């Protein structure tokens, strides 16, 4: 049983205390009510409604096409299924980068309409005004550094970030800046494990890694990847805990056979 199982709701303060106590933080994505209930029942500390919904739920190649209205819909669905975990929602591409007023408006909608407990946004110094505006309004912000998928066309690749000294130094500076601005936590995506360790030790807010090694204060994975619904996506950092693609296609195949052969429904399954 988790140390925090007696807590009704995990809060941003819970995560800070977990870092202080040396207890690892667990986070998974969810995009719908049913999944949210299962993930929450499994005991994760935080649930992320990622803009990865654009990929795994809608079939887009990148996260860029998903809209704020669509993200609010997914967040509403998840929030209704969560009893314990902290609910964090991504603000999608174009809703916060250029205009701090628009950033605040987007974050307010995500909290009021979506039912999120916090928002996550990608970037460092370049979005500092938007981060400050959102936090000053009392909305918790989780930062995101390293590989930032919303900037994929700028980088041109999903390869590991911050291998070069200059990019690593900027990442450390951005992490400290986001902490100073008041972010409660930070996602580090696809960066060298040594750099993630250095960042985690240099700031007091928790770091949550994905492809960033074991020294982060917590870990996050995309639910569909972790349970093996996606066959074609196999990055080095992913550990599959189930092979649901094979299980589900097998079950569907058996159902098709049973119906075609008139085995289903049988007498016991009829009124």
């Amino acid at each position: 049983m988790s140390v925090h199982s007696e807590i009704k709701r995990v809060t941003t303060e819970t995560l800070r205390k977990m870092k202080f106590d040396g207890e690892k933080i667990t986070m998974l994505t969810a995009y719908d009510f049913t999944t949210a209930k299962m993930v929450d029942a499994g005991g994760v500390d935080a649930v992320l409604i990622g803009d990865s919904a654009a990929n795994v739920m809608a079939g887009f190649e990148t996260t860029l096409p998903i809209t704020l209205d669509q993200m609010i819909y997914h967040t509403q669905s998840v929030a209704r299924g969560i009893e314990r975990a902290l609910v964090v929602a991504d603000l999608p591409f174009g809703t916060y980068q250029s205009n701090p007023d628009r950033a605040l408006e987007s974050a307010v909608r995500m909290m009021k309409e979506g039912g999120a407990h916090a928002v996550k946004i990608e970037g460092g110094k370049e979005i500092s005004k938007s981060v400050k505006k959102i936090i000053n309004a009392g909305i918790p912000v989780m930062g995101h550094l390293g590989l930032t998928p919303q900037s994929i066309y700028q980088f041109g690749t999903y390869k590991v970030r911050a291998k070069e000294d200059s990019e690593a130094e900027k990442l450390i500076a951005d992490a400290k800046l986001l902490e100073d601005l008041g972010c409660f936590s930070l996602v580090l995506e696809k960066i060298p494990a040594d750099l993630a360790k250095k960042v985690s030790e240099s700031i007091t807010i928790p770091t949550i890694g994905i492809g960033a090694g074991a020294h982060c204060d917590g870990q996050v994975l995309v639910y569909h990847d972790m349970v093996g619904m996606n066959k074609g996506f196999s990055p080095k950092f992913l550990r599959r805990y189930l092979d649901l693609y094979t299980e589900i296609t097998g079950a569907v195949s058996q159902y098709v056979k049973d119906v075609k052969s008139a085995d289903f429904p049988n007498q016991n399954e009829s009124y």
Side-chain angles (χ1 to χ4, degrees):
M1 185 178 283
S2 166
V3 176
H4 294 280
S5 60
E6 74 278 3
I7 296 174
K8 180 63 177 169
R9 281 281 188 190
V10 175
T11 67
T12 57
E13 188 54 40
T14 313
L15 300 194
R16 285 195 196 96
K17 187 177 186 303
M18 288 171 78
K19 171 165 180 146
F20 183 79
D21 292 342
E23 182 185 351
K24 295 288 189 181
I25 296 162
T26 57
M27 191 178 202
L28 282 172
T29 63
Y31 315 101
D32 64 86
F33 173 78
T34 306
T35 304
K37 287 199 76 157
M38 291 189 288
V39 166
D40 195 47
V44 296
D45 301 305
V47 172
L48 175 66
I49 302 92
D51 56 6
S52 46
N55 311 121
V56 298
M57 300 299 284
F60 288 112
E61 192 177 332
T62 72
T63 62
L64 272 62
I66 200 162
T67 66
L68 182 61
D69 284 343
Q70 288 168 330
M71 284 300 299
I72 288 171
Y73 164 78
H74 284 296
T75 304
Q76 288 171 337
S77 303
V78 168
R80 284 192 283 265
I82 299 294
E83 292 183 17
R84 178 182 170 273
L86 183 74
V87 177
V88 184
D90 273 339
L91 291 185
F93 176 72
T95 63
Y96 62 88
Q97 285 94 338
S98 59
N99 184 329
D101 290 330
R102 182 165 184 210
L104 177 57
E105 189 181 305
S106 302
V108 167
R109 285 195 64 203
M110 189 60 81
M111 302 290 280
K112 283 182 67 122
E113 297 174 42
H117 304 148
V119 298
K120 180 170 80 62
I121 56 181
E122 297 179 8
K125 186 178 179 182
E126 60 279 1
I127 59 154
S128 58
K129 288 180 180 175
S130 292
V131 173
K132 190 173 182 181
K133 187 106 178 176
I134 295 169
I135 290 172
N136 283 350
I139 296 172
V141 172
M142 178 180 279
H144 183 148
L145 297 173
L147 175 67
T148 48
Q150 291 180 12
S151 306
I152 185 56
Y153 289 123
Q154 180 186 345
F155 295 131
T157 174
Y158 285 107
K159 287 180 180 172
V160 174
R161 304 300 312 169
K163 281 185 164 180
E164 305 295 324
D165 287 347
S166 59
E167 195 180 344
E169 285 165 15
K170 182 186 185 307
L171 192 144
I172 292 169
D174 280 341
K176 290 177 177 175
L177 173 63
L178 290 171
E179 177 183 29
D180 290 343
L181 288 171
C183 287
F184 73 91
S185 180
L186 196 56
V187 167
L188 299 175
E189 181 168 357
K190 247 183 156 178
I191 64 171
D194 288 346
L195 177 59
K197 182 176 190 283
K198 194 172 180 181
V199 172
S200 301
E201 291 172 352
S202 67
I203 58 176
T204 62
I205 60 174
T207 59
I208 298 176
I210 177 165
H215 298 291
C216 294
D217 301 301
Q219 298 293 328
V220 60
L221 284 175
V222 171
Y223 167 82
H224 288 65
D225 300 336
M226 189 271 289
V227 297
M229 283 190 189
N230 294 335
K231 286 295 257 187
F233 184 67
S234 296
K236 184 180 180 181
F237 64 78
L238 173 62
R239 182 181 296 182
R240 282 204 175 89
Y241 286 81
L242 287 171
D243 181 13
L244 278 192
Y245 187 93
T246 301
E247 292 282 322
I248 291 171
T249 52
V252 171
S253 175
Q254 188 61 52
Y255 165 74
V256 170
K257 286 177 187 168
D258 290 350
V259 172
K260 297 279 190 188
S261 67
D263 178 72
F264 175 80
N266 62 28
Q267 196 170 351
N268 291 335
E269 293 156 337
S270 303
Y271 295 98

